[in-house]
Each structure stands twice: as C-alpha cells, then as structure tokens.
C-alpha cells in the first residue's frame, strides 16, 4: 500500500507499528479502509445475488434467532413459513393446552382426547411437508431419505402411559436430544441445505398453554 493511501487514512508508521507488523491501532485503520480500497481496485460480482449466499445468510439468521425465542407460540409462529425440517417428539404428556397449535406447521392431530399419547412429527412449512403419528403406546418411527426430504430420521416417543422417553436421530448421527429431553414437546430444527441442526428446544405443554422453553 503506497504512502499516499497511508496518509489518506492517517496511518502513522511511528505509532501504528509494533516491530514488523501493525499494532491494534494500525490494524483498525487498515481494516476500516480495506473494503473501499478493494472495491475501487477490483470488480466482483455481488455475492448477495448468489443463491448460495442467501442460503447461508438465512441459516445464520435462524441459528441466531431461534435460541432467543422463549415462548411456545412465538416459536411456532417464527417457524410457520421457514424452509427447515421441524422434528418433534413427545415425552410424558402433551395436555389439552396444546389444542391444535401445531397446525401452523402443517399438523392435523387434535390433542383434546390424546394428551397422554405418544407422538412424533416431521414438518417443513415452506414445502407443505408433514408426517406425523400418534398412538396410545410407544412409537419408534423411521423416516428414510426421499426426494422431498433429503435426509433420514428416526424419532421415538413414549408418553406417560408407556415408557416415558423421547429420542431424535438424523442421518444416523446418534440421539440429538440426549440429556436435553424433558416433559412435553421436544424439538430439533434441521436445515437440510446445510446438513446441520439449527436448534434443540423443549416446551412443557402439559404445564400451561404457552410455556417458555426449558
């Protein structure tokens, strides 16, 4: 970088260097100027126009936002139009409080008479994709790879009337819930495009109608 540019950014070689490299003050001046220098000297395609950029940007936005959402209703509302796979497994009991709240994800189960049944669900609201199963005894449901679901999953649920447990495995990587499983609905949010888990959450829907995540 020539001396003219150093003068423009106020770089002082006597105070912005430590030996053979910049100190924190010099690094700040260079870093602040560097983007405009690169943009002036070179021509780049705008990455914001690339579909890959949008996918990565959406991924990090969701990965940052989801853990911050505390209330059950807000969590469902946030996910209701997202292109992610929402994996659900019930432990212990769901309660009539749940009513038909999962409909925003594409569910059709009515919990009025099934609050202590075992339940598993797999949804992608953006793709209008939904698979669910509810039974009075324990469930171990395998979801093989399909065209509209580019990954495999195994979901287990046992309500209070059976063995009382939950387990979620994606792409045979072991139980994602592990020691995080608790009473109520256990969620794993999976981004198939990035082959990565975005969030793991639990809501004790047996306790109240709009519980906070545990």
């Amino acid at each position: 970088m020539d001396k003219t540019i150093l003068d423009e950014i106020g770089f002082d070689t006597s105070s912005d260097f430590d030996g053979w490299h910049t100190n924190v003050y010099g690094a700040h001046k260079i870093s602040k100027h560097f983007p405009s220098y690169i943009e002036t000297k070179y021509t780049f395609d705008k990455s914001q126009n690339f579909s890959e950029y949008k996918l990565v940007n959406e991924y990090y936005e969701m990965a940052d936002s989801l853990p911050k959402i505390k209330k059950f209703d807000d969590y469902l509302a946030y996910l209701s139009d997202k292109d992610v796979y929402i994996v659900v497994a019930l432990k212990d009991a769901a309660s009539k409080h749940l009513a038909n709240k999962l409909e925003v994800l594409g569910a059709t189960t009515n919990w009025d008479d099934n609050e202590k049944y075992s339940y598993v669900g797999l949804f992608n609201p953006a793709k209008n994709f939904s698979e669910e199963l509810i039974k009075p005894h324990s469930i171990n449901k395998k979801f093989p790879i399909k065209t509209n679901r580019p990954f495999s999953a195994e979901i287990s649920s046992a309500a209070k009337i059976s063995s009382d447990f939950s387990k979620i495995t994606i792409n045979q990587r072991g139980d994602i819930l592990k020691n995080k499983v608790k009473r109520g609905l256990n969620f794993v949010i999976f981004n198939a495009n990035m082959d990565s888990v975005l969030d793991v959450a639990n809501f004790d829907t047996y306790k109240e109608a709009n519980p906070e995540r545990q």
Side-chain angles (χ1 to χ4, degrees), residues 119-177:
Y119 174 83
V120 301
L122 184 56
F123 311 98
N124 185 316
K127 288 182 167 41
N128 293 316
F129 174 89
S130 66
E131 295 184 59
E132 55 184 335
L133 187 63
I134 185 167
K135 290 183 177 181
H137 49 78
S138 62
I139 298 171
N140 183 55
K141 175 69 174 174
K142 294 183 179 180
F143 298 84
I145 294 174
K146 291 183 178 180
T147 304
N148 61 345
R149 180 170 34 77
F151 66 95
S152 64
E154 184 173 353
I155 315 173
S156 301
S157 168
K160 193 71 172 179
I161 58 176
S162 50
S163 303
D164 191 18
F165 68 87
S166 289
K167 182 179 179 181
I168 295 175
T169 301
I170 295 177
N171 288 337
Q172 301 179 337
R173 294 175 184 162
D175 183 20
I176 297 171
L177 296 177

Side-chain angles (χ1 to χ4, degrees), residues 2-57:
D2 61 47
K3 191 174 186 308
T4 303
I5 295 174
L6 294 179
D7 290 340
E8 286 178 3
I9 65 176
F11 191 93
D12 186 342
T13 54
S14 64
S15 60
D16 293 330
F17 262 118
D18 278 339
W20 292 98
H21 57 80
T22 63
N23 56 30
V24 65
Y25 305 106
H28 176 73
K29 291 176 182 178
I30 295 293
S31 300
K32 189 175 180 180
H33 172 76
F34 195 65
S36 60
Y37 175 82
I38 290 293
E39 204 168 56
T40 303
K41 292 289 185 180
Y42 304 97
T43 301
F44 296 99
D45 291 330
K46 295 292 185 180
S47 61
Q48 289 89 339
N49 296 327
F50 297 161
S51 59
E52 292 86 354
Y53 174 88
K54 292 178 180 178
L55 288 175
V56 172
N57 195 49

Side-chain angles (χ1 to χ4, degrees), residues 165-206:
F165 68 87
S166 289
K167 182 179 179 181
I168 295 175
T169 301
I170 295 177
N171 288 337
Q172 301 179 337
R173 294 175 184 162
D175 183 20
I176 297 171
L177 296 177
K178 294 180 181 177
N179 59 348
K180 298 178 182 179
V181 64
K182 297 177 182 177
R183 183 176 70 177
L185 292 179
N186 295 277
F187 288 79
V188 170
I189 312 303
F190 182 73
N191 185 307
N193 294 316
M194 302 293 287
D195 190 26
S196 180
V197 172
L198 288 165
D199 191 33
V200 179
N202 166 271
F203 296 91
D204 187 359
T205 50
Y206 187 78

